[in-house]
Amino acid sequence: MVVLVGLNTNRPAGQQSDLSRIKAWWRTLGGDRFAVLPPPTRGRYTQSDGHEDAAEMFATRGIATDTSFAYWHWQSHDAFARSGELTGALYLHWGGDHATVAAGLGDGPPGYRIVDNGPRGAFQLDRVTVVDADGLPDPEDDAGVRQFLARVDEPRHRTARSSEYDPLTAAEERWLHDRLSGPVDLDAAVRFAAPLEHRQALTPDETARLLPAWREAYAGRLTAWRGWRSVLPALLRQEHPEVWEVAAELGAEAAYALAEHPSPRSLELLRAWALTGDDGAVRGWFRAHHALREPDPVRAAAALSEELTAHAAPEAAQTGLLRALREAVTDEPDTRRSPADAFFPLLLATIRFATDDRLPRPLRVAAATAAADTAGRVREAAGRLTDAAEAADALTAVERYETARDDLLAGTGPDLTGYEGGLGDIYHRYRTLSPADVRWLRDRLADPSTGVQGIAFCLELLHAHGEAAEADLVALLPRWKKELTKQYRTTYTEWRHPLVTLTCLAQDLGHPAAEAMLAWWAKPKPLWKEPVRLLTHLGAPTEEKAAELWEFVVSGGHDTGHLMTWVLLRARLDGTHPLHVAEKLIDEPGIRAYVLHRVLIGVADPAQPLWHYAIDPRSHSWWHRAQEVADDERLSAAARAIGLKAAREHYVTRYPDQVRPALTEGEVKTAHAWLEARADRIAAD
């Protein structure tokens, strides 16, 4: 029996591709208060790009700025193969009113369906497919198979540590095993092995056939085959004789699987990888050690912390160890749908560990760092506890932490090697620099192990605050030609390419190295530098530099910090605040409004300009600057209105759970009160 739920996905020769059909439907959309952007090019790579494109389209076509809109960007476009076939769900992003967008999109074109993921998610467009009475697709129906696998491989419960899956029906499990029963096809096996091993259902016969094919096809690069994440756990579970040889070749990426199967052999491998500072290996090492050697989690963490210190492991290893310790003593909530209070035990544990004398100082410092933005949230959650003794105990822990915090954090800083967005999240902490901050930043610049991202972050902060000195320049001179001339994308950061900043510093200091750097910038290659070359004009500004930069600004070229640089440069030449320079450009011909708006907010504090290429609605820094512009009585009404609009659109009141670091309820209430106090101005705008 076959249950018809839509159209079959097989396309006869000569029939339109999915992309053509979807584009034809897309062109029919739009109407009152709803617009769609044209299909994307590579220039629309992110959601921020989509919102910028919408602003530009509205301005060009005279569309009201409060019109709701939908679009997809180039990353979403990966859902299409080169042939135009839809190989995955197409994510449709949007702005404005969710209900208006949902009504404007409707059900989708014939043969397709749209899934509405709610006001906080993107819409998904996918093909309608056919399944049998057991809910199983035809194995030849690519879209049906893809949708089936997505369904059975979606966890019912997921935390950062583990995922739980619904059991397979007998028919589903049989269907998956059948896909692995023929000649070994490693590319296909990736898809079918994962949902089986998520239920520990890969058989010894299946792993025995997959293992040699994998090792032969991917010799010397075993991790290049994604299916290893299913096969390795199965080999460990089945105690396969080749498993340790395979694990050693995989390296630290295999740490999670080894930690799930603790043994003296896995402990030995995990320790060796952990001492290199690998985060996953550190956490796996703790889990295996805790399971095999030391049942008390605090004593286990203390022993491993001391061993990491004795072997001079990277500082970040202590952070990984802290995460593992917290995981061991708390029940982690589902990461997808958890209320804020669900994280209270984890946050409180972090605060307690910062002052736990059983732990070595490096681990307590890691805990103090992790707790830096959570004390307020713990206070609020403690205030909601019904057990008075439990609440008092939690508040005492917070007070103890706050007493010890400054001493623990003195001379410390963030992990410069991690996700750059994490550095952006804490940028507001560096709006002013303490003497300890300056020392730490300078030490990082002088450290040969600091990478390009770390140099960019530290040098930007020192230079913007006027703390960068000749010693910092001299420390980096041996590295600039070999390391700092490499491409490093800063589109989504609050700092510039480190060689831009270093060139500005050399010019400001009148250092002889400035001439060599400027000569390098003047050369035609490498091509990556051309879009940011003019940003070096901020160093030792002149009227000639200002004129050249202005010519580019009004040319309509892609802005990667050019208007921001011109505003800061002009402010230095005129001896005025950059806000007053920026506000004079409102309604100036040739100046794109959406670029000027982010510049106006970004230069609110010239001692720490915000270089992100768009107003970041999840950022503390951008929220505070928007407020300051909105309330600055020295500015024109038009400039203040721009600040108020940016504040009104910030996630601090619309989607506060997306702001990072997380907000307290008190901060959210204060933000709402701030906007409510300006309701008359908002209505007038």
Side-chain angles (χ1 to χ4, degrees):
M1 176 180 177
V2 173
V3 179
L4 182 65
V5 296
L7 300 179
N8 197 303
T9 63
N10 294 324
R11 175 162 55 94
Q15 184 177 327
Q16 280 188 313
S17 69
D18 292 312
L19 179 57
S20 297
R21 295 170 67 185
I22 289 169
K23 280 185 174 181
W25 163 75
W26 192 254
R27 286 192 291 270
T28 68
L29 302 181
D32 185 39
R33 315 304 296 172
F34 175 65
V36 294
L37 274 62
T41 65
R42 287 179 174 83
R44 188 195 304 158
Y45 195 72
T46 66
Q47 292 184 55
S48 295
D49 293 332
H51 284 256
E52 287 201 7
D53 284 355
E56 190 166 4
M57 185 180 81
F58 290 177
T60 302
R61 300 184 184 178
I63 300 173
T65 57
D66 61 349
T67 298
S68 299
F69 58 94
Y71 64 94
W72 75 88
H73 52 53
W74 198 251
Q75 293 182 83
S76 302
H77 199 76
D78 284 344
F80 294 105
R82 287 189 177 184
S83 63
E85 178 189 0
L86 190 62
T87 60
L90 176 64
Y91 283 83
L92 302 175
H93 301 280
W94 57 280
D97 177 68
H98 175 262
T100 300
V101 175
L105 292 174
D107 296 328
Y112 301 82
R113 59 187 170 85
I114 285 182
V115 176
D116 181 350
N117 290 310
R120 297 188 183 182
F123 293 85
Q124 290 174 259
L125 186 151
D126 206 347
R127 301 188 74 170
V128 178
T129 58
V130 176
V131 296
D132 65 15
D134 291 317
L136 300 170
D138 183 331
E140 300 301 317
D141 180 352
D142 291 339
V145 170
R146 169 175 52 79
Q147 292 171 6
F148 165 71
L149 292 175
R151 175 173 64 80
V152 298
D153 220 25
E154 174 64 21
R156 66 180 176 190
H157 180 79
R158 176 164 49 204
T159 70
R161 305 199 286 271
S162 63
S163 298
E164 296 177 8
Y165 297 84
D166 286 320
L168 298 169
T169 66
E172 289 170 341
E173 185 168 336
R174 185 168 56 252
W175 189 95
L176 289 166
H177 284 304
D178 286 346
R179 306 285 76 73
L180 296 174
S181 63
V184 174
D185 179 346
L186 290 175
D187 290 338
V190 170
R191 308 166 67 200
F192 306 120
L196 285 170
E197 188 53 28
H198 285 152
R199 284 89 172 174
Q200 297 189 346
L202 270 180
T203 67
D205 176 67
E206 288 164 342
T207 54
R209 293 191 308 111
L210 289 170
L211 178 59
W214 166 36
R215 299 190 72 180
E216 179 180 355
Y218 291 88
R221 54 188 188 99
L222 292 186
T223 57
W225 182 55
R226 292 183 297 112
W228 75 265
R229 298 185 183 278
S230 300
V231 172
L232 179 64
L235 294 173
L236 287 163
R237 178 169 53 80
Q238 296 161 8
E239 299 183 352
H240 193 282
E242 296 180 45
V243 66
W244 298 112
E245 183 181 345
V246 171
E249 189 173 345
L250 286 166
E253 289 193 58
Y256 183 84
L258 266 62
E260 286 288 297
H261 299 82
S263 69
R265 288 288 293 274
S266 65
L267 188 62
E268 180 184 350
L269 280 174
L270 288 165
R271 177 183 178 277
W273 297 331
L275 293 180
T276 69
D278 183 88
D279 181 76
V282 170
R283 296 164 74 179
W285 183 32
F286 171 85
R287 291 175 62 192
H289 181 85
H290 178 36
L292 297 173
R293 302 277 178 83
E294 177 51 75
D296 183 273
V298 174
R299 285 201 297 266
L304 300 194
S305 175
E306 290 174 349
E307 194 164 354
L308 289 170
T309 301
H311 286 82
E315 291 180 11
Q318 299 285 349
T319 303
L321 182 58
L322 170 69
R323 281 197 287 266
L325 173 59
R326 294 190 309 182
E327 291 169 359
V329 300
T330 60
D331 293 324
E332 191 177 11
D334 189 310
T335 57
R336 296 170 296 180
R337 293 178 290 273
S338 296
D341 276 7
F343 291 92
F344 171 67
L346 185 116
L347 300 179
L348 179 58
T350 307
I351 280 175
R352 290 190 192 282
F353 289 142
T355 58
D356 192 330
D357 291 334
R358 295 174 297 171
L359 298 174
R361 182 178 177 88
L363 198 51
R364 286 186 282 122
V365 168
T369 302
D373 291 295
T374 63
R377 294 169 63 195
V378 172
R379 282 185 183 279
E380 285 186 345
R384 292 189 289 269
L385 293 174
T386 56
D387 187 315
E390 186 180 355
D393 184 56
L395 292 174
T396 298
V398 174
E399 291 168 3
R400 202 162 48 238
Y401 163 73
E402 291 177 334
T403 300
R405 178 177 53 199
D406 290 347
D407 173 64
L408 288 168
L409 296 182
T412 67
D415 177 11
L416 298 174
T417 64
Y419 167 53
E420 65 184 17
L423 293 175
D425 290 344
I426 61 165
Y427 209 61
H428 61 282
R429 296 184 195 169
Y430 292 93
R431 190 157 178 184
T432 59
L433 299 182
S434 69
D437 289 332
V438 173
R439 286 193 300 273
W440 186 85
L441 292 166
R442 284 180 172 158
D443 287 345
R444 300 289 77 71
L445 290 181
D447 186 344
S449 68
T450 301
V452 172
Q453 176 175 285
I455 292 171
F457 178 83
C458 297
L459 187 60
E460 182 71 54
L461 286 172
L462 288 170
H463 184 254
H465 285 288
E467 296 287 353
E470 185 171 0
D472 304 312
L473 172 64
V474 171
L476 293 172
L477 284 181
R479 305 180 63 180
W480 83 267
K481 287 186 179 180
K482 289 186 177 180
E483 298 176 59
L484 302 189
T485 54
K486 302 296 189 292
Q487 184 173 12
Y488 167 66
R489 298 186 184 277
T490 57
T491 306
Y492 309 105
T493 65
E494 303 296 1
W495 49 90
R496 297 165 292 178
H497 189 287
L499 191 53
V500 171
T501 315
L502 191 65
T503 304
C504 290
L505 175 60
Q507 293 178 90
D508 287 340
L509 295 174
H511 194 278
E515 184 177 351
M517 292 179 186
L518 291 172
W520 181 85
W521 283 104
K523 295 177 181 178
K525 292 184 178 181
L527 296 177
W528 71 260
K529 67 183 176 180
E530 183 55 29
V532 298
R533 178 183 64 83
L534 292 177
L535 275 58
T536 63
H537 282 8
L538 189 55
T542 65
E543 291 292 346
E544 291 74 20
K545 291 179 178 180
E548 184 183 3
L549 194 53
W550 180 256
E551 183 179 356
F552 177 87
V553 166
V554 297
S555 72
H558 183 57
D559 189 292
T560 55
H562 297 88
L563 183 59
M564 168 81 81
T565 302
W566 185 86
V567 167
L568 293 170
L569 186 158
R570 190 74 257 167
R572 289 182 65 180
L573 288 174
D574 298 343
T576 187
H577 197 290
L579 275 174
H580 300 307
V581 176
E583 72 171 333
K584 291 178 182 177
L585 299 178
I586 297 173
D587 297 325
E588 176 77 14
I591 299 298
R592 286 165 289 193
Y594 65 91
V595 177
L596 176 61
H597 291 182
R598 73 170 182 252
V599 169
L600 184 74
I601 309 299
V603 300
D605 182 357
Q608 195 199 43
L610 303 178
W611 288 95
H612 195 290
Y613 86 131
I615 295 175
D616 185 352
R618 297 175 175 83
S619 158
H620 286 248
S621 290
W622 285 93
W623 163 249
H624 294 311
R625 309 302 166 82
Q627 286 182 296
E628 290 162 20
V629 170
D631 286 346
D632 193 331
E633 297 289 348
R634 300 169 299 173
L635 299 178
S636 66
R640 296 176 66 202
I642 291 170
L644 187 59
K645 181 176 184 292
R648 194 169 71 248
E649 295 175 350
H650 196 280
Y651 285 4
V652 71
T653 54
R654 298 171 65 210
Y655 310 117
D657 58 323
Q658 295 189 34
V659 177
R660 292 291 179 270
L663 299 161
T664 65
E665 288 185 6
E667 289 172 323
V668 175
K669 289 178 180 177
T670 299
H672 278 287
W674 184 87
L675 285 174
E676 289 168 6
R678 290 150 185 81
D680 292 344
R681 286 173 55 192
I682 293 172
D685 291 341

